[in-house]
Amino acid sequence: MEHTFKHLVLYEDRHSDGVVITDENGFKVVEANSMAVLLDWDTKLGIGHWADDPRASMELTEEQQAANARRIVACCNALEGMPTLQVEMLDVKGALDQADEARRELEWLRKRNAQLIQDGLGNLQALHKTVCKHDQLLAALEAVCDSFQHVPLGPGALQDLFRARAAIAACKESAT
């Protein structure tokens, strides 16, 4: 029979030798004990009872018990409604590794984006300076042309003045 995870809660009353975890109806599901016992202590250590050798068990503090119980409850509640088989097939470590890789890539993209924006702003500032210089040169050329408007000029200088006026007109037209 397939088990589906249900919502778990910590039972606050410490009537036993550990922290009790119950389901939402108050039925005891698991207990985070104060004593952790080594699995297969009899074959691993060759002893008759786990209490005969201090290497077969370790005492947990109340904080460790509570932390273990909170972690069990948090994991089960995060998986609430999922069938056990599906949970067993989860590759949480792989998913966390992928999420970490995606986070690093996102951070790189943010930095790259910030650099591109900074470069773009620098290019815009340079373009703005160029446009300002262009406008200044155009205004200066126009002033020079205006100052020679009533001065008698030779045929070569007059052609230069006409070319300058045509260049001014072309620049003003392309700017609009």
Side-chain angles (χ1 to χ4, degrees):
M1 180 174 153
E2 179 66 21
H3 177 267
T4 300
F5 283 87
K6 300 213 184 308
H7 191 78
L8 298 181
V9 294
L10 285 174
Y11 182 71
E12 297 298 326
D13 182 20
R14 291 186 177 215
H15 66 282
S16 64
D17 190 27
V19 179
V20 175
I21 300 170
T22 67
D23 69 9
E24 57 198 1
N25 298 318
F27 289 96
K28 178 178 170 181
V29 175
V30 71
E31 192 171 332
N33 294 318
S34 62
M35 184 66 67
V37 178
L38 179 67
L39 292 178
D40 300 326
W41 49 266
D42 52 347
T43 56
K44 287 180 182 175
L45 300 176
I47 56 177
H49 190 273
W50 63 265
D52 294 341
D53 189 324
R55 297 175 299 159
S57 64
M58 67 178 189
E59 189 77 27
L60 298 175
T61 66
E62 286 186 17
E63 292 80 19
Q64 289 171 318
Q65 292 173 53
N68 288 342
R70 281 196 322 273
R71 178 171 279 212
I72 292 167
V73 169
C75 289
C76 289
N77 289 343
L79 301 169
E80 185 175 353
M82 288 182 73
T84 302
L85 184 59
Q86 188 177 358
V87 171
E88 290 172 345
M89 292 175 17
L90 286 176
D91 179 12
V92 176
K93 173 92 171 81
L96 289 174
D97 289 346
Q98 287 177 350
D100 193 45
E101 179 63 30
R103 182 197 54 76
R104 283 193 300 273
E105 187 173 342
L106 181 60
E107 185 59 33
W108 179 84
L109 287 171
R110 283 184 180 141
K111 287 178 182 177
R112 181 70 179 127
N113 191 33
Q115 184 61 49
L116 289 172
I117 289 171
Q118 193 66 28
D119 292 349
L121 289 174
N123 291 341
L124 283 175
Q125 289 170 342
L127 180 60
H128 177 72
K129 286 180 182 178
T130 302
V131 168
C132 288
K133 288 177 183 178
H134 170 270
D135 291 346
Q136 290 170 349
L137 287 171
L138 194 58
L141 181 58
E142 200 168 21
V144 168
C145 288
D146 288 346
S147 67
F148 283 102
Q149 186 172 358
H150 300 292
V151 175
L153 298 171
L158 192 56
Q159 282 217 327
D160 289 341
L161 184 60
F162 288 144
R163 277 197 300 270
R165 288 264 185 221
I168 292 169
C171 283
K172 286 185 175 181
E173 186 176 312
S174 68
T176 57

